[in-house]
Amino acid sequence: MRHRRGILLAQFMNKLARNTLDVQVVLIAYHELGFLCRLLRSDQPNSTALGKAWQVHLTGMASEKDPSQESNLGAYSPVDYMSITSFPRLPEDEAGGGDSGLRCRKEEDAFLVEGDTDPDSFLKSARLQRLPSSSSEMGSQDVSPLRETTKDPFSGDCSCRQDGLTVIITACLTFATGVTIALIMQVYFGDPQVFHQGAVVTDAARCTALGIEVLNKQGSSVDAAIASVLCCGILNPHTSGIGGGGVMIVHDIRTNESNVIDFRETAPSAIREESLKSSWEAKPGLLVGVPGMLRGVYQAHLLYGRLPWSELMSLVAGVARDGFNVTHDLALALSEHKVLNLSNQFRETFLPEGQPLLPGMFMRWLEMADILDSIGSKGISAFYNSNLTQDMVSEIHEYGGVMSEEDFSNYSARVEKPIQGVFQGHLVFTPPPPHVGPALITALNILEGFNLTSQASQENALHWITETLKIALATASRLGDPLNDPPLPGYIEEILSKSEASFLRQLINDSQSLPTDHYMSFDPLESGPAASQVLVIGPDDFIVAVVSSLNRPFGSGIMTPSGIILNSQMMDFSWQNNTANHSTFSTRNNIQPGKRPVSFLLPTIVRPAQGLCGTYLSLGGSNGDRALSGITQVLMNVLAFNKNLSDSLSLGRLHPQLQSNILQVDNEFLQADAEFLQARGHLVKRVDSLSVVHGARRSNDLIIGVKDPRSADAGAATVL
């Protein structure tokens, strides 16, 4: 029985599908559907009765097509339409019904207005009208007036139609639910959808372009940072290079995981503090620490690289081989330091005929290109365990140094977790000691308690920031290398606590400047080293910040015959009389073999504390302790005062000097603000520039890079 019903329904559906463009056939299909619904709903005893019912139905349909009844409406006449849309009666219904059945049908019929010949209006009301559905009824029924009925033949109890609608709705809902679940699973558990958008910011526009080139080659954000930082060592060899070191922070937005790769220089195994005290000026070789640059970027490539190492080195070597224009910063550094005791190789390269290179002059550095090609093909062993290593050691010894080949081969970069703080609903990541990241977090913890917003008084905010920076700088002076100072981690945990920040905040006088030792004791700080910055936010959802240095401009002033400029990082240790003004020094930062000195290299990354949507930042700063002041103020501008990144980098900055208690402000600092600070007891002194801070920002899916306008050579580029 069920099989027969299925066959009848299939016949109906096939006829409808074949004639969807024939309006009259579609109407007939409606008629057949009505009959089938009633037929299948009934309890027919056998297939013979089913066939008989179907035959009677078809015969009735044929007899209804009386040509004499057609009007000028043709195929769309009221009689045709109503006859095919009426529900047929089954034979057993008619057999027992007789005249009473016909009377019931008459009572249900509706009147047809004589002038209603418009097919459109008729079709709209057709579902509310019925005419006899069989030839037997047509023959026995007199033409009589029709009356309106409120019963809709399509709203009857047709279980077939209702079951079909239920199946369709259920299928649609099931499909929609499945697609939605699949999309959600893809978003949260599938591979990240990479959008070709990113930003690169460096101290040299040519290096920024190289970083963008790496991203366009489908390199990772770390690949772009590696190429850019090595490029900066070529265009700005006074601030960075393979003879120096640095620190990198890498943050994965999707997983909220971060790593710090510390490749700061270390003290040689044979170094002695007494030797530095007595002869460091005459023997610049004593100032050279074991270079960490190549070991660090190679470690970063092992963890996060995508392009082949050899390809990255080839791209950087091409910059040195093809040539470049001398930057303003390099030309200025050469003019200011041409009287230093620099090696003959250095003078031949950068001081031809005794005259420094000028901005815009074109030069090639073929020796550096050869070194980078060798490192690309042979790996970093070409630097740390080769003839090149012997070359560097020999040159260091010639200038009074004590470094050995074992110092090179024993050097390793550290991979560790960053120091983390929470400020204004954002996570702030910064390097752990011996870097001064804890001092930055301390400053933010103190300032958060003042509830500074864009509506706060500018004068009060500047005063609080100044006093807070005194505390932060004093904190930085008391740090050291935790591997050589077991009690240091406990001190760091203490200064990072919110309770300690609250205590220090209560020491600040809201209306009067106080000396630094009012808050805590401190150790003298050296003027900061020159540094190079590289910031990348890539389309792979990684954020990278790198700051590298040679310490002083051109480091120790020693350049090997192969073309490597060596650092002077030993000056970052605290040792008595390393400057004329210092009679005390930090024991935590004293000189020990294999130790890393305190570092103001401070790459910083910011992300939302909850979820993925919000502000992301990559920041770097130069000029030593002034970098700490500059980065703190930029973070306050963006996160607390809701300023855009461009304005935050260009606004005037201040920096308190701990020893002299002088408050330095740069040329961009408003005079009215300087006068207000003077009224609160600050000894204000204006200087040309304090620090250079670059930045990259991601707000949801918009990524921009912004350079500090104080730099004439820096470049920021965005990939859209």
Side-chain angles (χ1 to χ4, degrees):
M1 183 67 177
R2 295 182 181 272
H3 177 70
R4 183 63 177 173
R5 292 181 182 181
I7 293 175
L8 295 177
L9 275 177
Q11 291 173 348
F12 156 70
M13 295 304 294
N14 288 335
K15 183 178 295 187
L16 179 61
R18 289 194 304 267
N19 298 279
T20 52
L21 298 179
D22 189 330
V23 176
Q24 188 170 5
V25 172
V26 172
L27 296 177
I28 293 173
Y30 266 108
H31 177 62
E32 292 181 16
L33 177 61
F35 173 77
L36 286 174
C37 287
R38 293 175 57 83
L39 183 64
L40 295 177
R41 187 179 59 188
S42 65
D43 295 325
Q44 292 295 335
N46 51 51
S47 59
T48 303
L50 280 171
K52 180 179 178 181
W54 183 254
Q55 184 177 5
V56 170
H57 166 61
L58 293 180
T59 302
M61 287 182 56
S63 64
E64 288 172 358
K65 294 288 294 177
D66 187 353
S68 63
Q69 294 177 343
E70 292 186 4
S71 67
N72 59 349
L73 296 176
Y76 299 96
S77 68
V79 174
D80 284 343
Y81 179 74
M82 293 310 298
S83 65
I84 63 175
T85 56
S86 299
F87 279 81
R89 295 195 179 271
L90 296 177
E92 63 273 20
D93 294 335
E94 297 180 5
D99 294 338
S100 62
L102 181 59
R103 284 194 300 270
C104 292
R105 293 288 302 274
K106 286 181 178 181
E107 291 175 358
E108 294 177 354
D109 288 337
F111 287 103
L112 181 61
V113 181
E114 199 171 294
D116 190 5
T117 59
D118 178 42
D120 291 334
S121 62
F122 176 77
L123 290 175
K124 292 178 183 178
S125 61
R127 288 171 60 88
L128 298 177
Q129 302 172 3
R130 294 183 59 187
L131 285 177
S133 61
S134 66
S135 58
S136 61
E137 291 178 348
M138 288 288 293
S140 63
Q141 180 178 344
D142 295 331
V143 178
S144 60
L146 301 177
R147 61 181 177 83
E148 185 176 11
T149 179
T150 59
K151 183 176 181 181
D152 186 353
F154 292 94
S155 64
D157 183 15
C158 181
S159 61
C160 173
R161 182 168 179 263
Q162 290 176 347
D163 290 345
L165 183 60
T166 302
V167 170
I168 292 173
I169 294 176
T170 303
C172 292
L173 290 176
T174 302
F175 177 77
T177 303
V179 170
T180 303
I181 294 174
L183 290 174
I184 293 174
M185 293 182 66
Q186 173 64 24
V187 169
Y188 284 93
F189 304 108
D191 294 333
Q193 300 301 304
V194 177
F195 299 92
H196 293 286
Q197 186 183 47
V200 179
V201 188
T202 75
D203 287 313
R206 177 68 183 86
C207 300
T208 298
L210 181 62
I212 294 294
E213 180 182 353
V214 171
L215 290 181
N216 288 332
K217 289 178 176 289
Q218 305 305 309
S220 67
S221 296
V222 173
D223 286 338
I226 291 171
S228 298
V229 72
L230 294 177
C231 173
C232 286
I234 296 173
L235 271 75
N236 286 330
H238 61 296
T239 62
S240 180
I242 62 175
V247 60
M248 174 189 294
I249 295 186
V250 182
H251 178 74
D252 185 341
I253 292 176
R254 289 287 179 179
T255 63
N256 193 18
E257 294 182 355
S258 304
N259 275 322
V260 172
I261 303 173
D262 184 350
F263 48 97
R264 278 278 280 172
E265 303 89 332
T266 58
S269 58
I271 194 69
R272 297 294 180 268
E273 183 178 321
E274 293 76 13
S275 300
L276 282 171
K277 288 180 181 180
S278 60
S279 54
W280 66 272
E281 292 179 303
K283 298 179 179 180
L286 291 171
L287 299 178
V288 181
V290 182
M293 172 69 78
L294 285 172
R295 183 75 74 178
V297 296
Y298 185 74
Q299 181 67 49
H301 184 265
L302 289 177
L303 294 173
Y304 303 104
R306 185 180 297 167
L307 295 181
W309 172 258
S310 59
E311 183 176 352
L312 287 178
M313 294 302 102
S314 178
L315 290 172
V316 180
V319 175
R321 181 175 292 107
D322 297 340
F324 54 92
N325 298 108
V326 175
T327 65
H328 292 83
D329 286 345
L330 174 58
L332 179 61
L334 287 170
S335 65
E336 292 177 347
H337 298 90
K338 62 181 180 181
V339 297
L340 293 178
N341 182 23
L342 302 172
S343 64
N344 293 332
Q345 180 69 23
F346 183 92
R347 293 181 179 278
E348 292 175 6
T349 304
F350 296 103
L351 300 170
E353 299 179 358
Q355 296 301 316
L357 299 173
L358 299 177
M361 292 182 65
F362 184 80
M363 70 170 291
R364 290 187 174 90
W365 198 351
L366 300 181
E367 297 88 353
M368 182 57 61
D370 292 338
I371 292 173
L372 292 170
D373 281 336
S374 176
I375 293 170
S377 60
K378 300 177 182 179
I380 59 172
S381 61
F383 183 89
Y384 287 96
N385 190 16
S386 68
N387 293 334
L388 193 61
T389 311
Q390 298 173 0
D391 202 22
M392 289 185 285
V393 170
S394 175
E395 195 73 9
I396 291 170
H397 286 177
E398 184 175 339
Y399 285 89
V402 295
M403 193 174 297
S404 66
E405 293 183 38
E406 288 73 19
D407 290 327
F408 278 87
S409 60
N410 292 334
Y411 181 88
S412 62
R414 295 179 186 170
V415 180
E416 49 197 350
K417 292 300 178 182
I419 294 292
Q420 176 179 317
V422 181
F423 178 76
Q424 298 281 9
H426 294 80
L427 297 178
V428 181
F429 302 100
T430 189
H435 305 276
V436 297
L440 174 62
I441 302 301
T442 296
L444 295 177
N445 286 343
I446 295 172
L447 290 169
E448 188 173 38
F450 288 116
N451 297 318
L452 293 173
T453 66
S454 57
Q455 307 300 320
S457 166
Q458 174 75 359
E459 293 80 7
N460 289 337
L462 291 173
H463 172 70
W464 288 330
I465 290 173
T466 301
E467 296 301 298
T468 298
L469 286 176
K470 293 178 182 179
I471 299 173
L473 290 166
T475 300
S477 73
R478 304 170 68 180
L479 298 175
D481 190 342
L483 294 185
N484 299 82
D485 187 358
L488 184 59
Y491 172 69
I492 295 172
E493 183 178 355
E494 176 185 346
I495 63 176
L496 291 178
S497 68
K498 296 289 186 179
S499 59
E500 179 69 10
S502 177
F503 169 76
L504 294 171
R505 189 185 310 113
Q506 294 175 9
L507 299 178
I508 296 176
N509 189 311
D510 292 342
S511 59
Q512 182 65 38
S513 171
L514 298 172
T516 305
D517 55 14
H518 167 75
Y519 303 109
M520 65 175 66
S521 61
F522 63 92
D523 297 312
L525 294 174
E526 280 297 317
S527 58
S532 182
Q533 310 170 49
V534 172
L535 310 170
V536 181
I537 300 180
D540 55 358
D541 287 332
F542 274 80
I543 305 177
V544 187
V546 192
V547 183
S548 58
S549 177
L550 296 171
N551 194 268
R552 297 187 309 181
F554 303 109
S556 62
I558 301 173
M559 185 176 185
T560 68
S562 53
I564 300 173
I565 299 176
L566 297 171
N567 65 83
S568 60
Q569 290 294 355
M570 299 301 295
M571 296 192 71
D572 276 353
F573 283 110
S574 297
W575 38 281
Q576 195 168 11
N577 296 327
N578 64 337
T579 64
N581 296 328
H582 292 181
S583 57
T584 62
F585 64 98
S586 170
T587 57
R588 280 199 168 122
N589 193 38
N590 63 345
I591 298 172
Q592 294 182 36
K595 187 177 180 180
R596 286 170 164 82
V598 166
S599 165
F600 280 92
L601 305 183
L602 204 58
T604 303
I605 289 176
V606 176
R607 69 159 294 145
Q610 299 291 334
L612 295 175
C613 298
T615 295
Y616 297 81
L617 291 174
S618 178
L619 300 174
S622 66
N623 213 9
D625 55 349
R626 294 166 179 80
L628 172 60
S629 299
I631 291 174
T632 301
Q633 291 169 78
V634 171
L635 289 175
M636 292 297 298
N637 288 334
V638 175
L639 302 180
F641 303 140
N642 294 321
K643 298 183 182 296
N644 63 49
L645 183 57
S646 180
D647 290 343
S648 299
L649 295 178
S650 61
L651 289 173
R653 299 188 190 121
L654 53 81
H655 172 74
Q657 290 186 310
L658 301 189
Q659 292 90 330
S660 63
N661 205 35
I662 290 176
L663 178 61
Q664 295 179 325
V665 298
D666 64 13
N667 284 334
E668 307 300 323
F669 201 84
L670 296 178
Q671 181 60 31
D673 292 336
E675 292 174 355
F676 177 83
L677 290 172
Q678 285 178 325
R680 293 206 176 182
H682 297 279
L683 303 176
V684 179
K685 179 181 179 181
R686 192 173 291 275
V687 297
D688 290 338
S689 179
L690 288 172
S691 62
V692 173
V693 179
H694 302 312
R697 179 174 185 170
R698 169 172 166 168
S699 297
N700 298 327
D701 288 329
L702 176 64
I703 302 175
I704 60 170
V706 184
K707 71 168 189 172
D708 193 321
R710 297 166 179 81
S711 173
D713 302 307
T718 301
V719 181
L720 298 177

